Amino acid sequence: MQNLNEENQNYKELVDQAEGAFLKKEYLEAFLVQSCVIEGVLKNFIKHSFETLIRESPSFANKIENFEFSRSIDDLYASKKIDVRLYENLNKYRKKRNDVVHRLLEHHNESQLNIELKDAYKVGKTMGGFIVDTMIKEQRGLTAAETTATIDNLLSQVAELQEQLAELGGADLNEQFQKILKLKTRKNN
């Protein structure tokens, strides 16, 4: 079993591979690699979300390995592991993916197929962020966007305090505050 760093590296490499194929207008490859990544991330998320149940029941652990995409997202939503927005977006992606995959052999017009693959890829590209942010939030508490927003909020509060200090005590207090802030920043890095 791979550790989280190896999985993250594989994830990044596969996302880069899909994006590279997309940029080279190799839409089928981009779409297929992306589909594998999204389904792999979803499978890992469901395993993480139902970790206790998996440990308790070997039968459930075996069944979860064979969950189809639709069943996985339904179960995650029903158990409140994902919100309605992510549930709707995953369903939208699943329908688009199924539409393309199930009709792949029927296409006689390559340019029309490329348009559909390109559209499906774009839908999937937006899904990556939703899934990964939800997994991060589930495992660590905050998504990257929430962490950035928190940092921005804290920085604006610091700037506000600096202005208040400057008004109250002049440059001396503000200089002292700057020194303390620099020392704390160095200490945290």
Side-chain angles (χ1 to χ4, degrees):
M1 191 162 151
Q2 292 182 326
N3 68 35
L4 194 56
N5 287 335
E6 290 171 334
E7 285 184 15
N8 288 342
Q9 185 60 36
N10 288 345
Y11 171 80
K12 184 183 176 330
E13 288 171 5
L14 288 168
V15 168
D16 289 347
Q17 181 181 347
E19 190 63 16
F22 184 82
L23 293 173
K24 290 188 281 186
K25 299 183 182 197
E26 295 169 353
Y27 300 120
L28 181 58
E29 179 183 341
F31 169 74
L32 292 174
V33 170
Q34 179 194 65
S35 292
C36 292
V37 169
I38 289 175
E39 289 193 37
V41 168
L42 186 68
K43 183 150 307 256
N44 285 346
F45 184 55
I46 203 162
K47 285 178 185 176
H48 169 75
S49 297
F50 297 122
E51 194 172 5
T52 304
L53 297 173
I54 290 169
R55 276 196 306 265
E56 291 173 358
S57 170
S59 299
F60 184 72
N62 289 334
K63 283 184 179 182
I64 211 165
E65 283 297 322
N66 297 315
F67 277 8
E68 61 188 27
F69 195 86
S70 179
R71 165 89 189 265
S72 295
I73 59 178
D74 288 347
D75 285 354
L76 287 169
Y77 180 65
S79 64
K80 299 198 182 297
K81 299 290 184 182
I82 60 174
D83 63 22
V84 69
R85 181 173 161 225
L86 181 54
Y87 176 73
E88 294 297 332
N89 283 317
L90 283 167
N91 262 315
K92 179 181 174 185
Y93 174 75
R94 179 189 59 78
K95 287 176 186 172
K96 188 72 170 170
R97 184 210 61 184
N98 286 351
D99 207 28
V100 170
V101 168
H102 295 299
R103 295 180 343 162
L104 193 59
L105 294 176
E106 296 173 12
H107 285 281
H108 301 292
N109 181 339
E110 188 176 339
S111 62
Q112 180 60 36
L113 174 61
N114 281 334
I115 289 169
E116 289 186 35
L117 289 168
K118 196 169 151 180
D119 288 345
Y121 181 84
K122 287 178 181 178
V123 170
K125 192 169 178 177
T126 64
M127 288 312 312
F130 290 123
I131 295 168
V132 172
D133 274 355
T134 300
M135 285 183 70
I136 290 169
K137 188 172 188 170
E138 182 80 17
Q139 291 174 355
R140 296 194 188 122
L142 291 177
T143 65
E146 290 169 330
T147 302
T148 301
T150 301
I151 291 169
D152 289 345
N153 184 19
L154 289 171
L155 288 174
S156 71
Q157 288 177 17
V158 167
E160 224 175 90
L161 287 172
Q162 284 177 312
E163 287 177 25
Q164 290 173 1
L165 279 173
E167 289 173 9
L168 291 173
D172 275 351
L173 284 176
N174 196 26
E175 285 175 24
Q176 292 300 322
F177 183 75
Q178 288 293 333
K179 287 178 185 176
I180 292 169
L181 191 59
K182 284 180 185 176
L183 287 173
K184 285 191 177 214
T185 303
R186 282 187 204 139
K187 194 180 205 181
N188 289 336
N189 291 332

